[in-house]
Amino acid sequence: MQEWELQWAGRDVHDLKKELDEMVARIQPLNERAMAAARRRQDYLAKPPKSLGALEDMSVRLAGISGEIKNRVKKQAIVIMCADNGVVEEGVASAPQSVTLSQTINFTKGITGVSSMARYFGIDLLVMDMGVAMDIPKGLYESEMVQSGRISEKIINRSMGKGTKNFAKENAMSIETVLRCLLTGIQSAQALASAGVEVMGIGEMGIGNTSTSSALLCSLTDTTGVEAVGRGGGLNDQGLNKKIEIVDKVSKECRGKDILEILARIGGFDIVAMAGAYIGAAIYRLPVVIDGFISAIAALVASRIAPLSKEFMFPSHMSKEPGYQKIMKELSLQPMVNLGMHLGEGSGCPIAFKVLEAATATMNLMYTLDEGGIDAEYLEEIREKNLI
């Protein structure tokens, strides 16, 4: 047994659930006093009221997270949960399972979509093996997420198995494993917070995980397979129809069940760990960026386990996957941009980080009307009557 696995020794479902409940109970609401002060400052910055739109809203929410009017989001990191999904046995993925292994390794080389942007912008990646089916060379592993304040540049081994089981035929995992994945995700957020990270993003890698995500969406909402299922990385018509059929069948079995039972039935290791990371971000009061469809379904799962966690979430881009908008409606959130992206990996996070930086720049560096020596009497009617 490896050192990191010792934390689970002798602990049953009851113990793990108790720990999760205690962690969730630590989440505190946004600081309303700080948000009110931030709104007042935005209203009197040297500009027409509300003229910076969503950037103002972001700066106010950041104040609610930190308790401070002015904030920094320069120290950035993305946690990438990697795992395989057993449902690929059903022919519902266009890419071979070997791609999960290859890309998990490539993240550490800085040559994937997200890691190339991360390398360019100086963003740290925390790459986690939650259950990649094929063997990762042992020399690429590291057990500690953070050492001496440095986020590991290798792959963190937290594998729960060689991929989940095929949820089209049986439960993807046990409830005990669900709890282990959630707690591991929380630990990843704790590690990033300990390294001084000021904003984190959530990404993934796992062939077949759009099927898992669609099944979770349909189980947690009134969405049908046709509404939720997309072609993922380029699935043909035969595979698409099979995917819809499986999603509809399994989601009908799951509707109304406890969230932990649904996660055990469908999976995956990656998505459940991502949900834990969102919960962890709320516990450690880190703003957290949602990437695309798979990242978004993990955010929805997190919100069902820890409702306050959604207050800490900032969606990056509008995913082309059909179920994405449904999730945003469920979370009452709006993505920042629409660039036609549907890569996954966390590739929307670097872009969103820069938007959040813009929001903090205006709050932190822009003068108020008084400070700028501007006679703002003409703005009073605009402000009082909310004419913008």
Side-chain angles (χ1 to χ4, degrees):
M1 183 177 290
Q2 298 188 53
E3 185 176 347
W4 63 267
E5 294 176 295
L6 293 174
Q7 65 181 309
W8 313 123
R11 304 180 66 194
D12 59 16
V13 169
H14 174 77
D15 296 329
L16 297 170
K17 180 64 164 59
K18 182 181 178 183
E19 181 179 353
L20 176 64
D21 290 343
E22 289 172 350
M23 297 299 286
V24 169
R26 291 172 55 184
I27 302 173
Q28 297 298 310
L30 299 184
N31 187 318
E32 292 291 344
R33 183 177 297 179
M35 292 173 71
R39 285 193 193 96
R40 282 196 299 273
R41 179 170 174 79
Q42 280 289 359
D43 283 345
Y44 286 90
L45 289 178
K47 58 178 176 57
K50 302 186 179 2
S51 59
L52 285 174
L55 292 180
E56 297 188 19
D57 298 333
M58 291 175 201
S59 69
V60 169
R61 198 139 63 91
L62 288 170
I65 292 171
S66 71
E68 304 289 338
I69 296 176
K70 296 182 179 182
N71 289 278
R72 278 178 52 89
V73 289
K74 295 288 286 183
K75 177 68 173 172
Q76 303 159 356
I78 304 168
V79 58
I80 306 177
M81 301 298 186
C82 307
D84 278 296
N85 295 253
V87 72
V88 296
E89 297 174 359
E90 303 296 321
V92 294
S94 58
Q97 204 167 47
S98 60
V99 173
T100 304
L101 172 65
S102 298
Q103 288 294 78
T104 300
I105 294 171
N106 287 338
F107 289 138
T108 66
K109 298 178 179 179
I111 58 175
T112 71
V114 66
S115 61
S116 61
M117 286 190 277
R119 182 155 55 106
Y120 180 85
F121 287 119
I123 298 167
D124 290 316
L125 296 183
L126 180 62
V127 183
M128 308 271 291
D129 173 12
M130 292 303 305
V132 177
M134 297 181 179
D135 291 338
I136 292 174
K138 287 185 170 54
L140 298 181
Y141 275 137
E142 195 161 81
S143 60
E144 296 297 323
M145 301 181 205
V146 173
Q147 292 183 355
S148 303
R150 177 190 63 84
I151 297 170
S152 174
E153 295 180 357
K154 291 190 174 183
I155 298 165
I156 305 302
N157 185 5
R158 292 295 185 271
S159 179
M160 300 290 163
K162 295 296 186 180
T164 57
K165 295 177 182 176
N166 180 359
F167 74 74
K169 297 178 179 176
E170 58 184 318
N171 285 356
M173 66 180 93
S174 67
I175 288 180
E176 179 180 342
T177 304
V178 168
L179 291 165
R180 289 181 178 184
C181 287
L182 287 168
L183 292 169
T184 300
I186 291 172
Q187 290 167 3
S188 72
Q190 181 184 27
L192 294 181
S194 74
V197 168
E198 295 162 333
V199 58
M200 63 182 286
I202 309 289
E204 45 62 43
M205 183 64 231
I207 298 304
N209 60 11
T210 56
S211 296
T212 307
S213 298
S214 296
L216 285 170
L217 174 58
C218 293
S219 298
L220 295 172
T221 67
D222 60 359
T223 312
T224 66
V226 170
E227 294 171 321
V229 172
R231 294 185 184 271
L235 193 61
N236 62 26
D237 288 345
Q238 182 180 355
L240 180 64
N241 291 332
K242 183 65 179 283
K243 189 173 175 179
I244 292 170
E245 178 187 336
I246 292 170
V247 165
D248 277 333
K249 178 180 180 297
V250 175
S251 61
K252 284 177 184 176
E253 297 173 10
C254 289
R255 281 190 186 132
K257 289 188 176 181
D258 176 78
I259 183 64
L260 297 182
E261 292 179 322
I262 294 173
L263 293 172
R265 179 71 184 86
I266 297 172
F269 297 144
D270 47 355
I271 294 169
V272 182
M274 293 162 75
Y278 284 113
I279 294 170
I283 293 168
Y284 298 103
R285 302 197 77 78
L286 287 175
V288 59
V289 170
I290 300 170
D291 180 35
F293 177 54
I294 299 152
S295 185
I297 194 63
L300 180 61
V301 168
S303 74
R304 296 298 176 88
I305 296 170
L308 283 175
S309 64
K310 74 177 183 179
E311 304 299 328
F312 297 77
M313 300 174 186
F314 294 81
S316 56
H317 67 98
M318 176 69 75
S319 171
K320 288 184 71 174
E321 284 289 317
Y324 181 86
Q325 292 189 49
K326 176 69 175 180
I327 300 171
M328 290 298 104
K329 185 177 180 180
E330 289 282 329
L331 292 171
S332 300
L333 296 172
Q334 287 290 331
M336 300 177 188
V337 296
N338 186 351
L339 300 173
M341 294 171 62
H342 54 111
L343 172 61
E345 300 182 0
S347 55
C349 297
I351 300 163
F353 291 161
K354 300 307 151 187
V355 176
L356 287 170
E357 284 185 42
T360 60
T362 57
M363 177 64 92
N364 297 355
L365 303 177
M366 195 172 182
Y367 274 18
T368 63
L369 295 161
D370 285 343
E371 291 166 346
I374 299 171
D375 181 359
E377 186 176 346
Y378 78 98
L379 291 173
E380 288 304 321
E381 182 180 8
I382 295 173
R383 186 178 293 110
E384 289 174 7
K385 296 183 179 179
N386 196 27
L387 298 178
I388 292 183

